[in-house]
Amino acid sequence: MVAEDDKNLVEILEDLNPVDVAKYINFVSAPQAGAIATFSGTTRDTFKGKTVLELRYEAYVPMAIRCIKTVCSSARASWNLHSIVVAHRLGTVPVGETSVFIAVSSVHRADALEACRYLIDEIKATIPIWKK
């Protein structure tokens, strides 16, 4: 039996380290997983009618990791999941680049899709990562 932490990957990426989507898809892939749902949050070029060139993120990393792991545990309690990845960048994230990436695998698509949405909603609402 694999421990829950072995099937969760939480990474806070320091300044200028891009999100490695292929690495994360590979992590959640498994023969028993019939579904992989992903969310990629990217920096857009406008906000409330104003031009955006980049976003900057700050975090208290130990607390952010601990809180994300708690959200992952909560998702596992609600859905039948195989693996979860949550990666969030810190520092400067230019327009068009990914700032947060989530991947969830499960036997069936409904669990993966619902858990993926839950994870991004909870991360945005509760994790101590701040957008400047």
Side-chain angles (χ1 to χ4, degrees), residues 1 19 21 24 50 54 56 58 65 68 70 75 84 96-98 110 112 116 127 129-130:
M1 178 145 187
V19 170
V21 172
Y24 300 136
K50 295 184 180 183
E54 63 188 25
R56 291 193 54 79
E58 294 179 342
I65 290 171
I68 292 169
T70 299
I84 301 171
E97 292 189 16
T98 301
C116 191
I127 305 304
I129 297 176
W130 303 280

Side-chain angles (χ1 to χ4, degrees), residues 99-110:
S99 55
V100 60
F101 185 79
I102 297 169
V104 180
S105 62
S106 64
V107 173
H108 301 290
R109 71 179 177 269

Side-chain angles (χ1 to χ4, degrees), residues 58-75:
E58 294 179 342
Y60 176 59
V61 174
M63 183 181 286
I65 290 171
R66 192 168 51 252
C67 292
I68 292 169
K69 286 181 177 182
T70 299
V71 172
C72 290
S73 293
S74 179

Side-chain angles (χ1 to χ4, degrees), residues 19 40-43 55 57 87-90 93 97-101:
V19 170
S40 180
T42 59
T43 302
L55 294 176
Y57 291 92
H88 203 301
R89 288 176 64 182
L90 297 182
V93 182
E97 292 189 16
T98 301
S99 55
V100 60
F101 185 79

Side-chain angles (χ1 to χ4, degrees), residues 2-132:
V2 178
E4 179 180 311
D5 274 354
D6 293 340
K7 292 187 178 185
N8 292 344
L9 176 59
V10 175
E11 292 189 340
I12 303 296
L13 305 168
E14 297 297 330
D15 204 17
L16 302 177
N17 285 324
V19 170
D20 185 346
V21 172
K23 169 187 167 181
Y24 300 136
I25 295 295
N26 186 56
F27 181 86
V28 299
S29 296
Q32 64 271 38
I36 296 173
T38 64
F39 174 82
S40 180
T42 59
T43 302
R44 62 181 179 269
D45 64 357
T46 57
F47 180 73
K48 295 186 178 182
K50 295 184 180 183
T51 300
V52 172
L53 300 176
E54 63 188 25
L55 294 176
R56 291 193 54 79
Y57 291 92
E58 294 179 342
Y60 176 59
V61 174
M63 183 181 286
I65 290 171
R66 192 168 51 252
C67 292
I68 292 169
K69 286 181 177 182
T70 299
V71 172
C72 290
S73 293
S74 179
R76 287 188 177 281
S78 298
W79 295 279
N80 184 15
L81 305 177
H82 182 270
S83 298
I84 301 171
V85 167
V86 176
H88 203 301
R89 288 176 64 182
L90 297 182
T92 302
V93 182
V95 167
E97 292 189 16
T98 301
S99 55
V100 60
F101 185 79
I102 297 169
V104 180
S105 62
S106 64
V107 173
H108 301 290
R109 71 179 177 269
D111 286 337
L113 290 166
E114 291 170 15
C116 191
R117 176 161 190 160
Y118 168 82
L119 286 162
I120 189 56
D121 288 347
E122 287 299 304
I123 288 165
K124 294 263 310 168
T126 65
I127 305 304
I129 297 176
W130 303 280
K131 191 184 325 183
K132 293 176 77 176

